[in-house]
Amino acid sequence: MKQIAAAVMSLLVLLSACSRLGLGEQSCEPHVRVPTAANILAAQSVPTARYTPCFVTIDPGWDHVEFEAESGRAGIAIVEGTDTFLAAIVTESCDVGDAIRRDSGVPDVERYEDVTHIPSLITVAVVPASAQQLSYAIGLIDLWQAVELDERPVRLDLDDDTAADISTRLAAAAMRSDFVWFIDELDAAELTVELRTVGGQNFSRITPAEALDQIEDLAPSPVYEGNWFFRFEGGCITYVFNAEKRMADAAPIAAEENLGFYPAFELRERTDRANR
Amino acid sequence: MAFVPYRPLAGCYSLILDGVGWRNVERTSEQAEQQEQAPEPYAAASDMPPQLMGPTLPVAPELAVLGERRELRIAGVLITGRRRRPSGEKAPLPRELSFGGRAWLGAGLLMILVWLSLFAAPATTSWWTQRDLTILDWMVDLRTEAGISTAKFFNWFTSEGVIRFLRIGSLVALAVVRRWRHFFAVLFAIAVVEISIEQLQDSIGRIRPTVEILGTWDGPSHPSAPIASLSVTAMAMSLSLVAKGKWRAIAMWSAGVIVGVAAISRMYLGIDHPTDGFVSTLFAPAVAFVLFRWFAPNSIFPVTWSTGVKAHLDVSGSRGVAIRRAVQEQIGVEVIDVEPFNLEESGGSTPLRIRVAGTDGTGDTYLFAKLYSQTHLNSDRWYKIGRSILYGALEDEVRFTSVRRFVEYEDYIQRVMVGCGVPTARPIAVVEITPEREYLLVNEFLHDAAEITAAKVTERMMDDALRAIRLMWDNGLAHRDIKPSNVMVHHGKLVLIDVAFGMIRPSPWRQAVDLANMMLLLALKSDVEAVYERALLHFAPTDIAEAFAATRSVTIPAQTRTLLAEHKRQTGIDIVEEFQDITPFREAIAIQRWSSQRIFRTAIAASIVGVVVFQIYSEIRGTGVL
């Protein structure tokens, strides 16, 4: 049960403030107001760590935030429903594995990312076989551009380079979009499309509405899973993402905008001074 | 001054008036005959012929000078010489906090004061933190390699693994000996402490000491969760596994030393502030102590290592002395001895046999008494909640608000039964042991009585038994607990005992169930046809059909069910089915009636079961509060 020290400390955290690290912003002092017990406990959990995670702002739309601290590990988490879609955990070290290095924007912090992102936006490339089907394709885009599938927006992109080789165009469309609507002469005459998926499935002579139904079934669920690692002197902060559906797009934004690092050394020293 | 004889109540019918109309004349004459034969429930001693007076019991010497007294003879016992307790005089067993209780109360108050000063204002918080850190700085200065190793060893006692091992071991031991009260008390105490500590930690959110920390920790610092976990476990083990007395004292002191040393070790390692450990060492055992006192008090649930111990008060020691004194003063008889009697047959009270001195060379005689306490009242509440879930709105299961009301009701229903001519043990008096907490209900003692299943059941016996049910029907009564241990044969006559569940103006369904249960008992010792034939002399066929249409497994007491199953195993005869075949057909009477209260209680009960199952599941997975 000890791990249940995952205390719901919304009030404490709401009072907290911390600096935003990365993305070019280095200064933290102006944001530091009154450190809370949550901040200090996090700083105490990994005494060697230069930074400790904290909330820059609390989004009022979140269900609640949680705080957890124990020796060697501390973290904050954003919970939607019963799932934690984003957590920031400080430890003494971390294994970045095959994560890709990114620029942290801070000289003494190394940033790595190892994530899988399937956005909620579904892209469909509309590829008319020739110029004769162009007007039908434009009509389809006008008609279906605002459609949403299972609360996911759909964007239809027109490939109007009808002079190019069709196989090259289809390959390119498949590369940049989730689905392809191929339209030949007969489709234009019968008001149908050929739906092509990235996986190689084809559905010929189906209406655009049927094609959208298929897309709704076949489109992979939006997700943002994986880790961001921030390595620095004496510690590592890992952002753990486990966001699905509508949170898949929100998670990385929340991580950038709402989470930050607190200068832990300074916090520990300040607390010690205040208590003696 | 002569005692006014107790007459049948005005509301009791002396004739059978059922409106059915069949054999009215015949039954009326039977009833009249019975009324003539029935003994006067009470008689004034002065009205009795000398040869029937029996032994005269001596008045206790200190009562002898108190002047003229009422004289009452019940069951061969002459009662006289009662003494009224003057205002201001202590009750026979006054309710007083023991030294231990006072110590815990004081500790609780001290803890509240510490808390208030710790967190009431920033200034006092800072004051405490500075004092804590002064101590910790001093301890840090004393650190040595050996000291750190020793402290880590004692801190090991607060580790999850050790605490989990102790808790599971205790629960397994309690489950093996089926001491479920203690089992749930342990579980409850642990859950309350763990949840409280977690909530307090979250609310207070105290940081760890700002010294070098040489051990692992988890969550906010105050109160110290590991010390609380160890303390409550040690206290719960002492209270549930070790018998009260020297060994429990040794266990508690040992546990206290280990907890204390562990708390100091954690301070030495810089994990907890002194006040963190101090509060936990007071709070957690106090919670366990209070919960055990409330839920499994030692006086009622003593720690023994035999199985199947029921809720019975210990009548030795100060309570035994108090009972003797109370009976002597309040009834006016000289008590020789008080001993538990037929404990295994009773779960709702503590039955006693009281030996009282006889005179005139006739030897000692006995009284039967039932000792009721607050815990019995609690048991009765749970029992009623269970029945309301089982039966729904058919039963009036309003709980009693006090032990006094509980005892008053039983005494009253007993007097109503006696007054109506229902053959039952005659009540003598209610004796106060501890005001509002413990009372003794004293009855006549049925010498050489045997359960009906151990006696020969003749046609006359059947008539007596069925007539008793008929009398209750006609007077708007129900016994509600007709089972072998409550239907006795005393000197060849049938007597119903334990009328505590009796009810005035019960539901017709409940009266029908009484009839069915009595007929089942009789059939166990004779045969279905014979019982049915005799029953037709007292009840209409439709009455009997109704009785068996109301009969379900849950309406038959467990003791009877066991005997019926045994009878079926030996003879192949299912008595219930035989009765249902022989009686006129009637649709089964639905007993499951739903009300909002029943739904609510069922939902609560299901939730509790769910929580317990989840807790056990969590425990198996290693994530529970244990």
Side-chain angles (χ1 to χ4, degrees), chain B residues 99 119 170 236 281 302 306 321 344 372 399 407 438 519 545-546:
Chain B
F99 172 77
F119 307 107
S170 305
T281 51
S306 57
V321 172
E344 63 280 2
Y372 283 104
R399 64 184 176 87
V407 174
E438 283 186 32
M519 290 178 70
E546 181 189 342

Side-chain angles (χ1 to χ4, degrees), chain A residues 2, chain B residues 104 157-158 163-164 166-167 170 182 185-197 224-241 252 255-256 259 279-292 625-626:
Chain A
K2 290 300 111 194
Chain B
W104 283 114
F157 285 99
T158 66
I163 291 170
R164 189 178 293 273
L166 293 174
R167 290 176 177 180
S170 305
H182 288 111
V186 169
L187 209 57
F188 197 29
I190 290 170
V192 167
V193 167
E194 295 290 351
I195 291 167
S196 305
I197 292 289
S224 172
I227 294 297
S229 296
L230 182 63
S231 302
V232 70
T233 305
M235 178 58 100
M237 287 174 71
S238 302
L239 293 172
S240 64
L241 298 177
M252 282 188 169
V259 170
V279 165
S280 287
T281 51
L282 290 183
F283 174 75
V287 169
F289 186 81
V290 169
L291 285 177
F292 267 80
V625 296
L626 296 177

